[in-house]
Amino acid sequence: NRNVEFGAKWELFDGNLSFRTALFRSEKTNERNTDLSVSLDQNLLSGRRHTDGVEIEAAGRITANWEVFAGAAGMKSRIDAAAGQQSNTQGRVPVNTPGYTVSLWSVFRVTPQWRVGAWLEAVGKRYANATNTNEVPSYRRSDAMVSYEKGDYALRLNVFNAFNATYYEGVYQGHSVPGTPRAAQFTVEYKFY
């Protein structure tokens, strides 16, 4: 593997918020591929792929009561060379490689005891096979949180996938793993000193 990255980082609002960006290229050579004409158990050290991309990230406090973490990446991935049964994948997008990912987590302290937060995530379509004939669609999902903290204890309610979006967490050649439907979790914390 070879990775090349060029980036920069800035500190804003007296160091309370950091901003980072990077351009990158990742190359993989001698990739393991299965040659179905020989054996399911035998791998060929062949193939080459690359990913070109850009990342942007911000993390910190916008105000004393407002925390944020946000990130986005855009990627262009291609299979540059493949051998044997995989030779028809040249020029295709590698399995489970989205064109973009976006995430945003923000928490706001409403009062000294109460906090509310939200998580947003978006992922581009991904292919489930190297010939790009089977794909799972892009998705957007969101979570929500409210918490109450006082002294030694805290109460927190999280709602995952708040709008009950249909999405897939894992993408494989033979199957896809669906994401969690809407779910709630209530947590009680107590600190022992």
Side-chain angles (χ1 to χ4, degrees), residues 3 15 28 69 78 114 134 162 179:
N3 297 306
K28 184 174 186 176
F69 173 83
R78 290 291 176 264
W114 288 96
N134 190 7

Side-chain angles (χ1 to χ4, degrees), residues 111-125:
T111 70
Q113 292 80 31
W114 288 96
R115 295 187 323 151
V116 295
W119 164 265
L120 304 172
E121 177 185 47
V123 175
K125 74 176 179 182

Side-chain angles (χ1 to χ4, degrees), residues 4 16 24 33 35-38 40 57 60 71 82 115 127 134 137 143 157:
V4 178
N16 287 315
F24 65 88
N33 286 304
D35 189 348
L36 298 176
S37 66
V38 177
L40 287 174
E57 183 180 282
R115 295 187 323 151
Y127 291 104
N134 190 7
D143 299 342
L157 175 65

Side-chain angles (χ1 to χ4, degrees), residues 69 79 87 96 99 110 115 142 149-150 159 191-192:
F69 173 83
I79 298 171
S87 61
N96 203 17
V110 180
R115 295 187 323 151
S142 57
E149 303 171 13
K150 186 168 183 178
V159 178
K191 297 176 185 174
F192 296 93

Side-chain angles (χ1 to χ4, degrees), residues 73 75 96-103 119-126 136-141 167-169 171:
M75 296 166 285
N96 203 17
T97 307
Y100 67 88
T101 61
V102 178
S103 62
W119 164 265
L120 304 172
E121 177 185 47
V123 175
K125 74 176 179 182
R126 293 164 290 157
V136 296
S138 62
Y139 71 85
R140 288 150 205 76
R141 63 173 290 263
Y167 68 101
Y168 298 91
E169 289 182 351
V171 180

Side-chain angles (χ1 to χ4, degrees), residues 2-8 20-26 53-55:
R2 181 172 70 173
N3 297 306
V4 178
E5 184 172 326
F6 175 76
R20 183 185 70 82
T21 186
L23 297 172
F24 65 88
R25 181 176 181 98
S26 296
V54 60
E55 295 178 317

